[in-house]
Amino acid sequence: GDIVEKRECLPWIAETLGQLKAPYGVFYVVGNHELRIHDIGLVRNTLTEAGLQGVGDCWTKLEINGHPLVIAGNELPWFRPAADMSDCPVEFEGKRPLRVLLAHSPDQLGWAVERDFDLMLAGHTHGGQVRLPGIGPLLAPSWHGIRHASGVFHAPPTLMHVSRGLAGTRPLRLNCRPELAQLTLCRS
């Protein structure tokens, strides 16, 4: 989420994000910054034309090396609905899928736990943007304050990674470096 916030940035999507390639697809959810464009359909169409797949209100099943993987999205509270997981099978051909949720806000952790997600990837908080040594982040735009400003959190059965992200509307970052996370999932 928070992919673009100005209409003038839409043409950049194809030449930047359109270059992203992954063997099983590139998936996205939108966030609160996309509200500033006032035409979410235009944003979604531009991302789709660039080769990205939106999962903000749905789930999709992939098969990786014979193992099922479900990727779903949640763009609440800005965009409704979140993925309807009631029709997602618990097993595919006798195998339980790894269930991954893309959510813009870490405030959706409870939603993920209730729906039995294994992994949730979130952002939105920008790591708090200002972090003091020994204290940590001062503020974060979250219902839970600074609790989930960035890092890894476990609320069984869900493991959540909250990225600090790369940018923000305010150029100020103090002791809070931008982050582009690369997570490697291993089967145990």
Side-chain angles (χ1 to χ4, degrees), residues 110-122:
W111 189 94
V113 168
E114 289 172 9
R115 287 156 185 84
D116 201 31
F117 278 93
D118 300 297
L119 177 63
M120 176 178 156
L121 305 175

Side-chain angles (χ1 to χ4, degrees), residues 167-188:
T169 55
R170 293 172 190 83
L172 174 68
R173 280 190 185 246
L174 180 63
N175 296 319
C176 186
R177 295 177 56 121
E179 172 186 50
L180 178 60
Q182 178 178 340
L183 306 177
T184 302
L185 305 179
C186 300
R187 189 164 179 255
S188 59

Side-chain angles (χ1 to χ4, degrees), residues 114-166:
E114 289 172 9
R115 287 156 185 84
D116 201 31
F117 278 93
D118 300 297
L119 177 63
M120 176 178 156
L121 305 175
H124 180 60
T125 60
H126 302 273
Q129 288 191 221
V130 175
R131 301 172 75 92
L132 298 180
I135 295 174
L138 298 180
L139 294 169
S142 168
W143 299 332
H144 304 286
I146 60 171
R147 178 198 257 168
H148 300 129
S150 67
V152 176
F153 307 89
H154 190 229
T158 307
L159 185 67
M160 175 175 70
H161 178 269
V162 182
S163 171
R164 292 187 306 269
L166 296 173

Side-chain angles (χ1 to χ4, degrees), residues 15-169:
E15 63 191 61
T16 56
L17 300 179
Q19 301 303 309
L20 295 173
K21 303 292 180 227
Y24 300 98
V26 177
F27 302 89
Y28 75 90
V29 293
V30 295
N32 56 304
H33 286 220
E34 282 79 18
L35 287 170
R36 298 173 183 169
I37 295 179
H38 304 292
D39 186 350
I40 195 60
L42 178 61
V43 174
R44 292 185 197 281
N45 288 341
T46 304
L47 289 162
T48 299
E49 289 171 5
L52 286 77
Q53 183 177 338
V55 292
D57 62 353
C58 64
W59 62 270
T60 187
K61 177 203 170 248
L62 303 172
E63 189 166 312
I64 300 174
N65 298 328
H67 300 282
L69 169 72
V70 169
I71 297 178
N74 178 321
E75 299 166 335
L76 297 173
W78 303 282
F79 299 98
R80 298 183 181 280
D84 179 2
M85 300 306 294
S86 65
D87 62 346
C88 182
V90 176
E91 291 184 349
F92 293 93
E93 299 176 7
K95 295 179 182 175
R96 184 190 184 286
L98 175 66
R99 293 166 59 105
V100 178
L101 177 66
L102 306 183
H104 181 62
S105 172
D107 291 341
Q108 299 305 314
L109 178 59
W111 189 94
V113 168
E114 289 172 9
R115 287 156 185 84
D116 201 31
F117 278 93
D118 300 297
L119 177 63
M120 176 178 156
L121 305 175
H124 180 60
T125 60
H126 302 273
Q129 288 191 221
V130 175
R131 301 172 75 92
L132 298 180
I135 295 174
L138 298 180
L139 294 169
S142 168
W143 299 332
H144 304 286
I146 60 171
R147 178 198 257 168
H148 300 129
S150 67
V152 176
F153 307 89
H154 190 229
T158 307
L159 185 67
M160 175 175 70
H161 178 269
V162 182
S163 171
R164 292 187 306 269
L166 296 173
T169 55

